[in-house]
Amino acid sequence: MATPTETTTLLFLPPGRAPASVNAAVASWAERLRAEVPTLEVLIAADEAEARSLLERADAAYGTLPDGWAGRAPRLRWLQAPMAAPPVGFFTEELAAHPVVVTNMRGVYNDHIATHVLAFVLAFARGLPGYAAQQRDHRYRATVVPTVHLAEARLLLIGAGGVGTTLARYLAPFGTEVVAVDARVTEAAGIAVHPAEALDELLPTADFVVSTVPHTPDTEAMMDRARFARMKATAVFVNIGRGMTVRLRDLVDALQAGELAGAGLDVFDEEPLPADHPLWDVPNVLITPHVAMNGPYIDERRYDVIAENCRRFLAGEELFQVVDKRRWF
Amino acid sequence: MATPTETTTLLFLPPGRAPASVNAAVASWAERLRAEVPTLEVLIAADEAEARSLLERADAAYGTLPDGWAGRAPRLRWLQAPMAAPPVGFFTEELAAHPVVVTNMRGVYNDHIATHVLAFVLAFARGLPGYAAQQRDHRYRATVVPTVHLAEARLLLIGAGGVGTTLARYLAPFGTEVVAVDARVTEAAGIAVHPAEALDELLPTADFVVSTVPHTPDTEAMMDRARFARMKATAVFVNIGRGMTVRLRDLVDALQAGELAGAGLDVFDEEPLPADHPLWDVPNVLITPHVAMNGPYIDERRYDVIAENCRRFLAGEELFQVVDKRRWF
């Protein structure tokens, strides 16, 4: 065995606060990495105690670093977050101060989430929620629900990341105009990207407003009553990013006041959404329970991100999907 | 004014059995045709009596020819049907025997109907009907509804016409395989077209089966219990063609027996669907009340079909959207 200074070590941290399902595949990933990247020493920490001790010599780690641990990781130069958008608590002040580079899992759900968004968008464009209400009452064409003609519609993305660009690709055959505000990128395929500050100006122009952004210090509660009031009364709001970016009571109030026409929501500021929340019964709301990312091949795609970053890490190349540790994305 | 034999006359028949809305735009069309096609004499029959008398000298007509009238139309060489798929009764034996060429309005709804179909398809692919049922009960993720990964799914079209080819174009970015059976065409962009006889063989291979066909002698009740039984238990049936092509009680029975997973239906063998029909309450059924064609620009597109056929008719060219009078499409 090589001396510690000559070996590059990747440590899989124990699940910690992340859902256990996220780490279920770790053992097989470690085995595959050992075979495919033989110059990398791959370690799996069985529990917290072992993780603390192994962290001393880890050059890289996969998982969530508990608060207070960064000081015990003198060699750590890369931390791969197990999620596309790690929860509050992942990005500590201590982590920001440490020289470690953090990468995330964004991208692995793009097709599943963009398809889910389009399912919401098309349902509203064709009046399905309104007809579902008539179906419950066994009423055939009690009223004709207005349609949205996608060839003349504008969809505003909050966040022009992988989900947004995939959605723009799906919408291209319809001729829908896709615009975005984004705090990071200035261009994205098929999307007219504006700076984050343009949100208030663009909200009144959109037929669909789709939030894809993670929960960060800048996005928390960004969609509040004042912003919903800026939307067209005929427009629909979709959130498949993070629940904490939306004041949900404000959305309920805005919908009940007719300030927008409907909402498709997969994330909520409280999850699970409490059974007595008024949102459940607001007309023209489609609720799915944080399942927009569901679909096959996620673990395979996670492995591909890890393996590609291992390759880059060993080659001294810039890592893939690097996060700004102070902005959380 | 030219003598009758030198003038070519187009007669707009009174609404008759067609919905009045279909003919609301006739006056403006007639005016526009008079301006744009000055060599054509354009007549509007105010009522049945006037229509009978004007038909004597009409070379062309727009509308529905009541049974028994074809014998009173000695000069008629072109009849433009006002609908994409005229109802039973339009294609009489007498009409079939008459030398008149019949054209229809197929195509004017392609984008609206294909969008409606995709709304159904994506709703089922993402589990929306299952989550809507949980939403009614205020239950957050009582169960996780399975998704269909469109990149690996096969959609079988019954009918590879304009709606089908538009749908194939919308599905292209997803990588969904689109196959069809069709009694008329042998190729269509983006679709692997098979003869109508291949239906039974293809039904067990599809994740979505979408019927777009009109009601004809050959399609009446074509989707019956035996055919639903051939579908995958995980597959979804969509009908946006004509209700009479499906034995609706058979579909209810097949759904209740778990022979297929769901249905999105815009047309029914009885319309309006009676309030006591068992279909209303079958889980995983989305019902819309014959509105898949709703959307803007229909009258403009109808005018374009009429004007193009007027141009061709006067020039002695082959007409556009010609119907086989004995097959009704």
Side-chain angles (χ1 to χ4, degrees):
Chain A
M1 189 177 164
T3 63
T5 49
E6 287 167 342
T7 306
T8 300
T9 301
L10 169 69
L11 172 64
F12 282 95
L13 294 161
R17 278 164 297 186
S21 64
V22 172
N23 294 271
V26 161
S28 73
W29 293 344
E31 196 166 334
R32 232 178 119 182
L33 282 174
R34 286 179 189 125
E36 292 175 7
V37 195
T39 59
L40 187 72
E41 183 186 32
V42 181
L43 305 173
I44 302 179
D47 53 35
E48 279 221 356
E50 196 180 6
R52 265 176 194 264
S53 130
L54 292 173
L55 199 58
E56 285 277 333
R57 63 188 179 98
D59 302 287
Y62 171 94
T64 299
L65 210 58
D67 208 10
W69 285 35
R72 300 161 188 274
R75 294 170 51 105
L76 198 68
R77 285 173 292 140
W78 165 40
L79 175 65
Q80 173 68 54
M83 302 172 85
V88 173
F90 183 94
F91 291 105
T92 60
E93 192 48 45
E94 180 189 45
L95 189 67
H98 192 285
V100 67
V101 171
V102 177
T103 57
N104 70 13
M105 280 293 176
R106 67 175 172 261
V108 298
Y109 306 117
N110 286 349
D111 53 349
H112 304 327
I113 296 180
T115 305
H116 205 84
V117 173
L118 193 59
F120 280 150
V121 166
L122 290 188
F124 283 104
R126 299 306 307 174
L128 300 192
Y131 292 119
Q134 296 179 39
Q135 182 176 348
R136 277 200 294 280
D137 299 336
H138 295 202
R139 297 178 73 191
Y140 188 91
R141 211 188 291 196
T143 59
V144 171
V145 182
T147 58
V148 178
H149 189 44
L150 292 177
E152 295 176 336
R154 170 181 273 197
L155 184 140
L156 169 60
L157 286 162
I158 305 177
V163 169
T165 50
T166 305
L167 181 64
R169 199 161 56 79
Y170 292 167
L171 278 169
F174 294 95
T176 306
E177 184 191 9
V178 181
V179 300
V181 289
D182 197 285
R184 183 169 47 192
V185 305
T186 55
E187 49 189 38
I191 305 174
V193 183
H194 300 258
E197 298 68 36
L199 178 60
D200 282 334
E201 188 186 328
L202 288 169
L203 279 172
T205 71
D207 302 291
F208 297 94
V209 176
V210 178
S211 178
T212 71
V213 288
H215 178 196
T216 75
D218 291 334
T219 65
E220 188 167 310
M222 72 187 296
M223 287 306 294
D224 57 10
R225 185 70 185 269
R227 288 215 157 103
F228 290 123
R230 296 187 72 81
M231 288 176 61
K232 287 186 191 179
T234 53
V236 170
F237 177 70
V238 172
N239 190 8
I240 49 76
R242 281 290 180 260
M244 290 296 288
T245 62
V246 174
R247 282 194 200 279
L248 206 52
R249 295 286 171 148
D250 283 12
L251 176 57
V252 168
D253 292 343
L255 284 163
Q256 285 172 339
E259 289 164 12
L260 69 168
L265 304 169
D266 187 56
V267 291
F268 309 90
D269 56 12
E270 287 183 85
E271 293 181 13
L273 187 69
D276 62 354
H277 199 289
L279 182 72
W280 290 110
D281 296 317
V282 179
N284 294 316
V285 172
L286 295 178
I287 292 177
T288 57
H290 207 140
V291 292
M293 83 289 269
N294 283 12
Y297 303 118
I298 297 305
D299 279 342
E300 291 86 334
R301 295 172 187 177
R302 281 205 179 92
Y303 176 79
D304 291 343
V305 171
I306 298 166
E308 172 63 13
N309 267 338
C310 285
R311 191 195 62 71
R312 294 187 184 198
F313 189 65
L314 289 169
E317 294 173 16
E318 197 179 343
L319 296 176
F320 176 57
Q321 302 189 162
V322 172
V323 175
D324 178 334
K325 292 183 286 181
R326 295 208 180 270
R327 299 179 76 191
W328 306 3
F329 74 95
Chain B
M1 189 177 164
T3 64
T5 50
E6 287 166 342
T7 307
T8 300
T9 301
L10 169 69
L11 171 65
F12 282 95
L13 294 161
R17 278 164 297 186
S21 63
V22 172
N23 293 271
V26 160
S28 73
W29 294 344
E31 197 166 334
R32 231 177 119 183
L33 282 174
R34 285 179 189 125
E36 293 175 6
V37 194
T39 58
L40 188 72
E41 182 185 33
V42 180
L43 304 173
I44 302 181
D47 53 35
E48 280 220 357
E50 195 180 8
R52 263 176 196 263
S53 130
L54 292 174
L55 199 59
E56 286 276 333
R57 62 187 180 101
D59 301 288
Y62 171 94
T64 299
L65 209 59
D67 208 9
W69 285 35
R72 300 161 189 274
R75 294 170 52 104
L76 199 67
R77 283 174 294 140
W78 167 38
L79 174 65
Q80 173 67 55
M83 304 173 84
V88 172
F90 183 94
F91 292 104
T92 59
E93 192 48 44
E94 180 190 45
L95 189 67
H98 192 285
V100 67
V101 171
V102 177
T103 58
N104 71 11
M105 281 292 176
R106 67 176 172 260
V108 298
Y109 305 119
N110 286 349
D111 53 350
H112 305 325
I113 297 181
T115 305
H116 205 85
V117 173
L118 192 59
F120 280 150
V121 167
L122 290 187
F124 284 104
R126 299 306 307 173
L128 300 192
Y131 291 120
Q134 296 179 39
Q135 181 176 347
R136 276 200 295 280
D137 298 336
H138 295 202
R139 297 178 74 192
Y140 187 92
R141 212 190 290 197
T143 59
V144 171
V145 182
T147 57
V148 178
H149 189 44
L150 292 177
E152 295 176 336
R154 170 181 273 196
L155 184 141
L156 169 60
L157 287 162
I158 305 177
V163 169
T165 51
T166 305
L167 181 64
R169 199 161 56 78
Y170 292 166
L171 279 169
F174 294 95
T176 306
E177 185 191 10
V178 181
V179 301
V181 289
D182 197 285
R184 182 170 47 194
V185 305
T186 55
E187 50 188 38
I191 306 173
V193 183
H194 300 257
E197 297 68 35
L199 178 60
D200 282 335
E201 188 187 327
L202 288 169
L203 279 172
T205 72
D207 303 291
F208 298 94
V209 176
V210 178
S211 177
T212 70
V213 289
H215 177 195
T216 74
D218 291 334
T219 65
E220 187 167 310
M222 73 187 296
M223 287 305 294
D224 57 11
R225 184 71 185 268
R227 288 216 156 102
F228 290 122
R230 295 186 74 80
M231 288 176 61
K232 287 186 190 179
T234 53
V236 170
F237 177 70
V238 172
N239 190 10
I240 49 75
R242 282 290 181 260
M244 288 297 288
T245 63
V246 174
R247 282 194 201 279
L248 205 53
R249 296 286 171 147
D250 282 11
L251 176 58
V252 168
D253 292 344
L255 284 163
Q256 285 173 338
E259 289 164 13
L260 71 167
L265 304 169
D266 188 57
V267 290
F268 309 90
D269 56 11
E270 287 182 85
E271 292 180 14
L273 188 68
D276 62 354
H277 199 288
L279 183 72
W280 290 109
D281 296 317
V282 179
N284 293 315
V285 172
L286 295 178
I287 291 176
T288 56
H290 208 138
V291 292
M293 83 289 269
N294 283 12
Y297 304 117
I298 297 305
D299 278 342
E300 289 87 332
R301 296 172 185 177
R302 281 205 180 93
Y303 176 78
D304 291 343
V305 171
I306 298 166
E308 172 64 13
N309 267 338
C310 284
R311 191 195 63 70
R312 294 187 185 198
F313 189 65
L314 289 169
E317 294 173 16
E318 198 179 343
L319 295 176
F320 177 57
Q321 304 190 159
V322 172
V323 175
D324 178 334
K325 293 184 286 181
R326 294 208 181 270
R327 298 178 75 191
W328 305 3
F329 73 95

